[in-house]
């Protein structure tokens, strides 16, 4: 639990002095990248469950 709190504190300190527009751009890019990774993972799981890798 302390590791999560440490990362949260570092995240807050990193974005404390950034201008607002830069903050919006960085956070939106972060969420976009996370969404693309999740979409890729879901596509991979779908391929496995639909029988794409059957021999």
């Amino acid at each position: 639990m302390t590791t999560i709190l440490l990362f949260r504190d570092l995240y807050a300190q990193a974005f404390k002095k950034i201008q607002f527009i830069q903050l919006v751009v960085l956070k939106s890019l972060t969420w976009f990248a996370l969404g693309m990774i999740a979409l890729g993972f879901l596509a991979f799981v779908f391929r496995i469950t639909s029988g794409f890798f059957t021999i």
Side-chain angles (χ1 to χ4, degrees):
M1 187 66 183
T2 57
T3 305
I4 294 172
L5 293 175
L6 178 64
F7 280 122
R8 187 184 65 139
D9 187 42
L10 289 173
Y11 183 81
Q13 287 179 8
F15 286 109
K16 190 178 284 185
K17 295 184 180 180
I18 293 180
Q19 291 182 358
F20 180 72
I21 192 71
Q22 292 171 335
L23 181 66
V24 170
V25 169
L26 285 174
K27 283 190 175 184
S28 62
L29 286 175
T30 301
W31 282 109
F32 179 75
L34 182 64
M36 291 295 106
I37 290 170
L39 187 64
F41 179 73
L42 289 174
F44 180 70
V45 169
F46 176 75
R47 286 290 196 173
I48 289 173
T49 58
S50 67
F52 181 75
F53 290 117
T54 57
I55 295 176

